[in-house]
Amino acid sequence: TEKSEPEIPGIQLYPNPSSDRISIQLTSAMPVENLQIEIYTLPGYLALKQQVLDRNSFEVDVSMLAPGIYQL
């Protein structure tokens, strides 16, 4: 059997893993006004926060994050 990554309905995130930038695309009719992206470490500490205004596709610079596993 082939393993696939869990998918959040309406959001595509790539590439995964990444060391410099991730692209996020909203694929459903989700409201995009004043969208805030937050990336957390596994223990739950906020590692990065970015405000997104009225866009369905955007990039997030993750180059300053240490290698590891993060939650969006």
Side-chain angles (χ1 to χ4, degrees):
T1 62
E2 188 176 313
K3 273 188 162 181
S4 64
E5 293 185 31
E7 185 176 315
I8 300 171
I11 297 177
Q12 290 182 342
L13 182 140
Y14 53 90
N16 186 12
S18 179
S19 60
D20 56 355
R21 292 188 167 277
I22 56 172
S23 294
I24 299 175
Q25 184 174 22
L26 304 179
T27 59
S28 69
M30 296 177 65
V32 293
E33 292 180 15
N34 299 321
L35 180 65
Q36 184 168 289
I37 300 298
E38 295 179 347
I39 298 177
Y40 291 88
T41 62
L42 282 182
Y45 297 104
L46 181 63
L48 186 138
K49 180 168 38 173
Q50 179 175 322
Q51 191 77 24
V52 178
L53 300 173
D54 301 322
R55 295 178 61 190
N56 289 332
S57 180
F58 48 91
E59 290 188 340
V60 177
D61 182 2
V62 294
S63 62
M64 77 295 281
L65 298 178
I69 299 173
Y70 295 87
Q71 301 176 56
L72 177 67

